[in-house]
Amino acid sequence: MGQRPAFDEIMGHGDATTPRPDLAALGRWLETTPEAELRRRQQAAETTFRQLGITFAVYGDNDAGERIIPFDIVPRVFLHDEWARLSEGLVQRVDAINAFLDDIYGARRILAEGVLPADLIFGNPQFRPEIAGIRPPHGIWAHICGIDLVRTGPDDFFVLEDNARTPSGVSYMLENREAMLRLCPELFREFRVAAVDSYPDRLLETMQSVAPHGAGQSPVCVVLTPGHYNSAYYEHSFLADTMGVELVEAADLVVDDDIVWMRTIAGRVKVDVIYRRIDDDYLDPLVFRPDSTLGVPGLIAAYAAGNVAIMNAPGNGIADDKAIYSYMPEIVKFYSGGAPKLPNVETWRCREPQALQYVLDHLDEVVVKLVDGSGGYGMLVGPTASRQEIEDFRAALIAEPHRYIAQPTLALSTVPTLVDSGLSPRHVDFRPFVLSGSKGVQVVPGGLTRVALKEGSLVVNSSQGGGTKDSFVLMADQAQSMGAGTMTQTMGGMTQTLGRMA
């Protein structure tokens, strides 16, 4: 996977002077809509987000208040055939993740057959021995996955991370689409875009489908939040509200005789399914951290008794640990019987002496990550790092190599983005959301596109200055009525603008 110029998702590779044929209408829209109008619409969207309280906080930044994630008015577009291939790979991968979790906390065939080294599991802080032997209702562990993808070419998609704990960002997917429908309706006349607004209904159906046997026709579902100080609290309340279920905190729940009850003004109500947005450590002070005030005492006992479903299941963190990620091709093949349809990014496991030496020799070229890191923290981007940062990471790698993996610095694809200087290419990644219930696996036709707003930056995380875009998935019968001659004529001055982006 050698270095090459970034693939632009509008213009493609090389010295093209017209957009990719299927995206000519988007090129025309960018050409004919004045920049001032694009800015007005973008600012209107961000004002709405601020009024709605769609904000996040940066942990550890005492001087920063709640802030919105910047929104970009230029959408990212996936063609129908591209999406079909992605969906197949996502379903295969999430099926494998569920099988892996069921195995690791059960029979452990994958260890017995030597596919994974046992110490990678049992020495991993994300492995929860307290959960071993417990099987969740219907055998489903990863009910909601956010699989982070990157793109390097027309047909080149790679999985960057597997998020199987409590993936966030779906509220931005939904609010971004709402903003685009309101502010840019002409784009939805040009393109037949698959709807994403059914996500809350799909999520609720998934929750109801994994309720314990005997829960009845109308299982009681709740969203468990750590409270309004959490950086994703807006999303917790948004999802509870749109699904029509209760948003609860630990004090609202009580466990009695291994049954979870919700306190209400009308008395106690039995709870069947909990969509938890609390990390394992804080989920139950009787099992995990005893000083937790965010969790529910006795919750794991109720779960072990089969009286409540917890989404996502406790112990899932082992599936999105970055050291485990490096073995995902083997994991997918072991459980599916076939090669992964979505490949990993090439990864060096620094716990292995030969890989460690390679990384130490190429620190100025690679990206180094903590195996349990997230949010863009604990990461070195070699080509843009200072000499001091590289030496600091060198010392850390030598001291604790097992805590790190490294990957090549990919030429992530770019999408036109409205920045201070005008339309300019910015690198993007993508988080689609995959739901697993007792009736099967479904991929939501859209997702969260994150964009690195700083020129040349590859770090898209909101905590590191990134923004978001709406993600269009074109439907199968999208009209293809624009000929090449029309494209050349309609692009006009935009040809030069986008030509500089490629």
Side-chain angles (χ1 to χ4, degrees), residues 168-445:
S168 62
V170 75
S171 61
Y172 287 97
M173 173 187 79
L174 296 171
E175 293 291 5
N176 286 353
R177 175 59 53 82
E178 183 68 25
M180 291 296 289
L181 285 166
R182 186 176 69 255
L183 296 169
C184 305
E186 66 275 20
L187 281 178
F188 296 89
R189 291 191 291 269
E190 291 280 3
F191 292 113
R192 296 199 68 240
V193 181
V196 296
D197 58 1
S198 63
Y199 179 83
D201 292 334
R202 295 181 186 219
L203 177 59
L204 181 58
E205 290 170 2
T206 300
M207 293 180 71
Q208 292 171 335
S209 79
V210 298
H213 296 292
Q217 295 297 313
S218 300
V220 175
C221 305
V222 300
V223 176
L224 175 61
T225 177
H228 66 277
Y229 290 111
N230 184 267
S231 62
Y233 180 74
Y234 171 82
E235 179 160 296
H236 308 166
S237 58
F238 174 89
L239 288 173
D241 183 57
T242 52
M243 286 191 292
V245 305
E246 294 294 332
L247 179 68
V248 299
E249 297 183 28
D252 300 312
L253 301 179
V254 62
V255 177
D256 187 3
D257 197 21
D258 291 344
I259 294 176
V260 181
W261 301 89
M262 174 173 55
R263 297 184 174 100
T264 75
I265 57 174
R268 299 199 311 184
V269 175
K270 181 176 178 292
V271 174
D272 301 300
V273 184
I274 298 174
Y275 175 18
R276 55 82 172 241
R277 297 299 296 261
I278 294 175
D279 292 342
D280 284 356
D281 276 344
Y282 304 97
L283 201 53
D284 183 343
L286 300 183
V287 175
F288 301 118
R289 284 186 56 156
D291 61 341
S292 172
T293 59
L294 302 176
V296 182
L299 178 59
I300 297 302
Y303 175 63
N307 294 328
V308 68
I310 300 176
M311 298 173 47
N312 281 333
N316 272 21
I318 190 70
D320 58 29
D321 177 84
K322 292 181 179 64
I324 297 296
Y325 160 91
S326 69
Y327 284 94
M328 277 305 294
E330 292 90 338
I331 291 171
V332 170
K333 185 175 182 180
F334 183 79
Y335 295 109
S336 73
K341 297 178 181 179
L342 280 174
N344 272 19
V345 176
E346 182 181 6
T347 301
W348 295 281
R349 296 184 280 261
C350 296
R351 70 199 301 269
E352 299 171 358
Q354 188 173 354
L356 173 63
Q357 190 57 56
Y358 177 86
V359 172
L360 291 173
D361 292 342
H362 297 84
L363 274 177
D364 60 340
E365 302 172 16
V366 300
V367 176
V368 183
K369 301 176 181 178
L370 280 167
V371 295
D372 57 351
S374 63
Y377 296 104
M379 183 168 76
L380 175 80
V381 181
T384 61
S386 68
R387 180 171 296 182
Q388 186 60 53
E389 288 171 331
I390 288 175
E391 292 310 311
D392 289 345
F393 260 81
R394 185 184 307 279
L397 279 164
I398 293 171
E400 297 181 297
H402 63 282
R403 296 191 63 204
Y404 296 92
I405 55 103
Q407 296 170 330
T409 307
L410 299 181
L412 302 188
S413 63
T414 61
V415 176
T417 300
L418 189 61
V419 295
D420 290 344
S421 58
L423 282 171
S424 184
R426 291 295 185 267
H427 295 292
V428 293
D429 80 350
F430 184 57
R431 177 175 293 180
F433 295 94
V434 186
L435 299 175
S436 299
S438 63
K439 299 177 182 178
V441 180
Q442 54 182 322
V443 182
V444 181

